[in-house]
Amino acid sequence: MAAVLACGGQAVLSHVSAAALWRLLDPRSGDIHVTVPSTAGRMRRKAIRLHRLTSLQPDQVTRRRRIPVTTPARTIADLRRLRPPVSEATHRRAIRQAEVLGLRTGLATPTAPTRSELEDRFLALCRRYKLPPPEVNVRVGRWEVDFVWRDQRLVVETDGYRYHRGPTAFETDHVRDLDLRTSDHDVLHFTYDQVTNHPSQVANVVRRELEARSNASSLTS
Protein backbone atom coordinates (compact mmCIF):
# COMPACT_ATOMS: atom_id res chain seq x y z
CA MET A 1 0.00 0.00 0.00
CA ALA A 2 2.84 2.41 0.79
CA ALA A 3 4.35 1.87 -2.66
CA VAL A 4 1.01 2.50 -4.36
CA LEU A 5 0.31 5.66 -2.37
CA ALA A 6 3.77 6.97 -3.14
CA CYS A 7 3.02 6.87 -6.87
CA GLY A 8 -0.14 8.97 -6.94
CA GLY A 9 -3.90 8.63 -6.83
CA GLN A 10 -4.31 6.43 -9.92
CA ALA A 11 -1.46 4.05 -9.13
CA VAL A 12 -2.13 0.33 -8.67
CA LEU A 13 -0.10 -2.67 -7.61
CA SER A 14 0.78 -4.76 -10.68
CA HIS A 15 2.85 -7.51 -12.31
CA VAL A 16 4.63 -9.93 -9.93
CA SER A 17 3.65 -7.85 -6.89
CA ALA A 18 -0.02 -8.09 -7.84
CA ALA A 19 0.43 -11.81 -8.48
CA ALA A 20 1.75 -12.20 -4.93
CA LEU A 21 -1.17 -10.21 -3.49
CA TRP A 22 -3.64 -12.46 -5.35
CA ARG A 23 -1.63 -15.52 -4.18
CA LEU A 24 -0.95 -16.54 -7.77
CA LEU A 25 2.80 -16.59 -7.11
CA ASP A 26 4.98 -16.63 -4.02
CA PRO A 27 6.13 -13.20 -2.80
CA ARG A 28 9.51 -12.12 -4.15
CA SER A 29 12.17 -9.90 -2.71
CA GLY A 30 13.13 -6.77 -4.61
CA ASP A 31 11.25 -3.81 -6.04
CA ILE A 32 7.49 -3.43 -5.70
CA HIS A 33 5.79 -3.20 -9.11
CA VAL A 34 3.34 -0.33 -9.50
CA THR A 35 1.49 0.81 -12.63
CA VAL A 36 0.10 4.26 -13.40
CA PRO A 37 -2.28 4.75 -16.37
CA SER A 38 -0.20 7.49 -17.99
CA THR A 39 2.99 7.99 -19.98
CA ALA A 40 3.88 10.89 -17.70
CA GLY A 41 4.58 10.37 -14.06
CA ARG A 42 6.72 10.89 -11.06
CA MET A 43 10.42 10.36 -10.74
CA ARG A 44 11.67 6.86 -10.05
CA ARG A 45 11.44 5.97 -6.38
CA LYS A 46 13.68 3.69 -4.42
CA ALA A 47 12.40 0.09 -4.14
CA ILE A 48 9.55 0.75 -6.62
CA ARG A 49 9.53 -0.38 -10.25
CA LEU A 50 7.12 1.99 -11.92
CA HIS A 51 5.26 1.05 -15.12
CA ARG A 52 3.58 3.83 -17.11
CA LEU A 53 0.87 2.33 -19.33
CA THR A 54 -1.94 4.09 -21.18
CA SER A 55 -3.50 0.69 -21.95
CA LEU A 56 -4.64 0.11 -18.36
CA GLN A 57 -8.45 0.34 -18.33
CA PRO A 58 -10.71 1.09 -15.32
CA ASP A 59 -12.29 -2.38 -15.52
CA GLN A 60 -8.81 -3.90 -15.14
CA VAL A 61 -8.38 -2.39 -11.69
CA THR A 62 -9.90 -3.49 -8.40
CA ARG A 63 -9.00 -3.67 -4.72
CA ARG A 64 -7.75 -6.52 -2.58
CA ARG A 65 -7.19 -6.01 1.13
CA ARG A 66 -7.94 -2.33 0.40
CA ILE A 67 -4.94 -2.10 -1.92
CA PRO A 68 -5.59 -0.88 -5.50
CA VAL A 69 -4.40 -3.70 -7.74
CA THR A 70 -4.74 -5.00 -11.27
CA THR A 71 -7.37 -7.71 -11.72
CA PRO A 72 -6.17 -11.33 -11.88
CA ALA A 73 -6.70 -11.39 -15.67
CA ARG A 74 -4.70 -8.19 -16.21
CA THR A 75 -2.04 -9.38 -13.76
CA ILE A 76 -1.60 -12.63 -15.69
CA ALA A 77 -1.31 -10.72 -18.97
CA ASP A 78 1.20 -8.28 -17.47
CA LEU A 79 3.48 -11.09 -16.32
CA ARG A 80 4.31 -11.79 -19.96
CA ARG A 81 4.82 -8.08 -20.70
CA LEU A 82 7.65 -7.76 -18.20
CA ARG A 83 11.15 -7.20 -19.56
CA PRO A 84 12.45 -9.76 -19.16
CA PRO A 85 9.17 -11.71 -18.96
CA VAL A 86 8.61 -14.37 -16.36
CA SER A 87 9.34 -17.92 -17.46
CA GLU A 88 6.68 -19.98 -19.18
CA ALA A 89 6.55 -22.29 -16.16
CA THR A 90 5.98 -19.35 -13.81
CA HIS A 91 3.30 -17.90 -16.07
CA ARG A 92 1.48 -21.24 -16.22
CA ARG A 93 1.75 -21.56 -12.44
CA ALA A 94 0.02 -18.22 -12.01
CA ILE A 95 -2.75 -19.21 -14.43
CA ARG A 96 -3.21 -22.57 -12.74
CA GLN A 97 -3.41 -20.99 -9.30
CA ALA A 98 -5.99 -18.45 -10.48
CA GLU A 99 -8.14 -21.30 -11.76
CA VAL A 100 -7.76 -23.17 -8.47
CA LEU A 101 -8.89 -20.05 -6.58
CA GLY A 102 -11.81 -19.50 -8.93
CA LEU A 103 -10.45 -16.20 -10.28
CA ARG A 104 -11.03 -15.04 -13.84
CA THR A 105 -7.93 -15.43 -15.99
CA GLY A 106 -9.17 -13.75 -19.15
CA LEU A 107 -8.18 -16.85 -21.11
CA ALA A 108 -10.62 -18.69 -23.36
CA THR A 109 -9.10 -22.13 -22.73
CA PRO A 110 -8.30 -23.15 -19.14
CA THR A 111 -4.97 -24.79 -18.47
CA ALA A 112 -4.69 -28.15 -16.79
CA PRO A 113 -4.63 -27.24 -13.08
CA THR A 114 -2.61 -30.25 -12.05
CA ARG A 115 -0.04 -32.71 -13.34
CA SER A 116 -1.96 -35.96 -13.00
CA GLU A 117 -5.40 -37.49 -12.90
CA LEU A 118 -4.99 -38.19 -9.19
CA GLU A 119 -4.27 -34.54 -8.45
CA ASP A 120 -7.30 -33.57 -10.56
CA ARG A 121 -9.43 -35.92 -8.49
CA PHE A 122 -8.16 -34.50 -5.21
CA LEU A 123 -8.86 -30.95 -6.37
CA ALA A 124 -12.38 -31.99 -7.40
CA LEU A 125 -12.79 -33.56 -3.96
CA CYS A 126 -11.89 -30.23 -2.32
CA ARG A 127 -14.54 -28.45 -4.37
CA ARG A 128 -17.17 -31.15 -3.80
CA TYR A 129 -16.77 -31.12 -0.02
CA LYS A 130 -16.29 -27.33 0.16
CA LEU A 131 -12.79 -27.41 1.56
CA PRO A 132 -10.81 -24.16 1.33
CA PRO A 133 -8.94 -24.14 -2.00
CA PRO A 134 -5.29 -25.15 -1.62
CA GLU A 135 -2.32 -23.91 -3.61
CA VAL A 136 -1.32 -26.50 -6.19
CA ASN A 137 2.17 -27.67 -7.19
CA VAL A 138 4.05 -24.87 -5.44
CA ARG A 139 7.22 -24.64 -3.41
CA VAL A 140 7.31 -24.79 0.37
CA GLY A 141 10.86 -24.02 1.35
CA ARG A 142 13.08 -26.05 -0.95
CA TRP A 143 10.39 -28.62 -1.80
CA GLU A 144 7.66 -28.62 -4.41
CA VAL A 145 4.48 -30.08 -2.93
CA ASP A 146 1.21 -31.25 -4.47
CA PHE A 147 -1.11 -29.15 -2.28
CA VAL A 148 -0.62 -26.73 0.58
CA TRP A 149 -2.76 -24.55 2.84
CA ARG A 150 -0.12 -22.02 3.88
CA ASP A 151 -1.96 -20.35 6.72
CA GLN A 152 -2.57 -23.71 8.40
CA ARG A 153 0.84 -25.08 7.31
CA LEU A 154 -0.80 -28.23 6.00
CA VAL A 155 0.63 -30.17 3.05
CA VAL A 156 -1.15 -32.95 1.16
CA GLU A 157 0.68 -35.36 -1.11
CA THR A 158 -1.34 -37.57 -3.44
CA ASP A 159 0.68 -40.75 -3.79
CA GLY A 160 0.25 -42.32 -7.18
CA TYR A 161 3.20 -43.58 -9.15
CA ARG A 162 5.82 -41.84 -7.01
CA TYR A 163 6.08 -44.67 -4.48
CA HIS A 164 6.95 -47.10 -7.28
CA ARG A 165 9.93 -45.17 -8.63
CA GLY A 166 12.56 -46.94 -6.59
CA PRO A 167 14.48 -46.58 -3.32
CA THR A 168 16.05 -43.19 -4.12
CA ALA A 169 12.69 -41.50 -4.64
CA PHE A 170 11.32 -43.27 -1.58
CA GLU A 171 14.13 -41.87 0.57
CA THR A 172 13.76 -38.40 -0.95
CA ASP A 173 10.06 -38.36 -0.09
CA HIS A 174 10.82 -39.21 3.52
CA VAL A 175 13.55 -36.56 3.74
CA ARG A 176 11.06 -34.01 2.37
CA ASP A 177 8.39 -35.00 4.92
CA LEU A 178 10.84 -34.75 7.81
CA ASP A 179 12.08 -31.38 6.60
CA LEU A 180 8.53 -30.03 6.26
CA ARG A 181 7.57 -31.28 9.72
CA THR A 182 10.69 -29.66 11.15
CA SER A 183 9.38 -26.34 9.83
CA ASP A 184 6.04 -27.00 11.61
CA HIS A 185 4.14 -28.27 8.58
CA ASP A 186 1.94 -31.31 8.82
CA VAL A 187 1.99 -33.69 5.85
CA LEU A 188 -0.89 -35.94 4.86
CA HIS A 189 -0.63 -38.66 2.21
CA PHE A 190 -3.56 -40.08 0.27
CA THR A 191 -3.54 -42.87 -2.27
CA TYR A 192 -5.48 -43.14 -5.51
CA ASP A 193 -7.85 -45.63 -3.89
CA GLN A 194 -8.54 -43.34 -0.93
CA VAL A 195 -9.19 -40.27 -3.08
CA THR A 196 -11.30 -42.17 -5.61
CA ASN A 197 -13.24 -44.62 -3.47
CA HIS A 198 -13.33 -42.95 -0.04
CA PRO A 199 -13.56 -39.20 -0.79
CA SER A 200 -15.74 -38.31 2.19
CA GLN A 201 -13.24 -39.86 4.62
CA VAL A 202 -10.38 -38.01 2.97
CA ALA A 203 -12.31 -34.74 3.12
CA ASN A 204 -13.13 -35.26 6.80
CA VAL A 205 -9.48 -35.90 7.65
CA VAL A 206 -8.35 -32.77 5.78
CA ARG A 207 -11.11 -30.63 7.31
CA ARG A 208 -10.33 -31.79 10.86
CA GLU A 209 -6.63 -31.11 10.36
CA LEU A 210 -7.28 -27.65 8.93
CA GLU A 211 -9.58 -26.78 11.83
CA ALA A 212 -7.16 -28.15 14.41
CA ARG A 213 -4.23 -26.20 13.04
CA SER A 214 -6.31 -23.04 12.69
CA ASN A 215 -7.41 -23.35 16.33
CA ALA A 216 -3.86 -24.00 17.50
CA SER A 217 -2.64 -20.95 15.61
CA SER A 218 -5.31 -18.71 17.14
CA LEU A 219 -4.40 -19.88 20.64
CA THR A 220 -0.72 -19.04 20.20
CA SER A 221 -1.28 -15.67 18.48
Side-chain angles (χ1 to χ4, degrees):
M1 178 64 91
V4 172
L5 292 175
C7 295
Q10 292 184 299
V12 298
L13 200 68
S14 63
H15 297 77
V16 292
S17 301
L21 184 62
W22 287 110
R23 299 186 70 177
L24 307 184
L25 297 175
D26 291 337
R28 298 183 178 187
S29 59
D31 292 351
I32 303 297
H33 290 251
V34 176
T35 290
V36 294
S38 170
T39 55
R42 303 181 177 218
M43 297 290 291
R44 177 176 173 83
R45 292 175 177 270
K46 184 178 180 181
I48 298 175
R49 182 171 174 183
L50 187 63
H51 305 267
R52 299 181 177 92
L53 301 172
T54 57
S55 62
L56 185 64
Q57 302 299 313
D59 63 355
Q60 296 173 330
V61 174
T62 185
R63 285 179 178 266
R64 176 171 171 80
R65 298 178 181 171
R66 300 185 179 182
I67 300 173
V69 61
T70 50
T71 61
R74 176 71 195 214
T75 299
I76 288 168
D78 282 344
L79 291 176
R80 299 300 286 169
R81 297 187 180 107
L82 274 173
R83 292 292 178 267
V86 299
S87 68
E88 184 64 30
T90 298
H91 191 236
R92 286 182 60 82
R93 187 180 307 122
I95 296 170
R96 183 172 61 233
Q97 191 61 27
E99 291 169 350
V100 170
L101 296 172
L103 303 174
R104 294 183 179 180
T105 64
L107 302 174
T109 304
T111 61
T114 58
R115 297 174 299 190
S116 70
E117 179 191 356
L118 179 54
E119 291 181 359
D120 285 338
R121 286 175 179 266
F122 182 79
L123 199 55
L125 179 153
C126 290
R127 291 192 293 266
R128 176 183 175 186
Y129 291 95
K130 295 181 172 53
L131 295 172
E135 294 180 58
V136 183
N137 295 326
V138 294
R139 298 192 73 83
V140 176
R142 63 191 180 105
W143 304 102
E144 183 170 301
V145 301
D146 292 347
F147 304 94
V148 63
W149 287 265
R150 289 192 190 273
D151 291 345
Q152 292 82 8
R153 305 180 77 84
L154 177 65
V155 170
V156 164
E157 292 291 306
T158 48
D159 300 329
Y161 71 90
R162 73 181 57 198
Y163 276 94
H164 303 284
R165 292 181 300 174
T168 300
F170 180 84
E171 291 298 330
T172 299
D173 289 339
H174 281 268
V175 170
R176 177 205 59 216
D177 285 8
L178 181 60
D179 194 18
L180 289 170
R181 290 190 171 102
T182 300
S183 62
D184 195 33
H185 287 80
D186 198 5
V187 185
L188 300 177
H189 290 267
F190 298 110
T191 65
Y192 186 95
D193 178 71
Q194 289 173 319
V195 172
T196 303
N197 298 321
H198 308 282
S200 63
Q201 294 180 15
V202 170
N204 287 336
V205 169
V206 173
R207 181 176 287 106
R208 283 198 300 268
E209 190 64 26
L210 287 171
E211 292 174 352
R213 294 185 71 82
S214 292
N215 292 337
S217 177
S218 64
L219 289 174
T220 57
S221 61

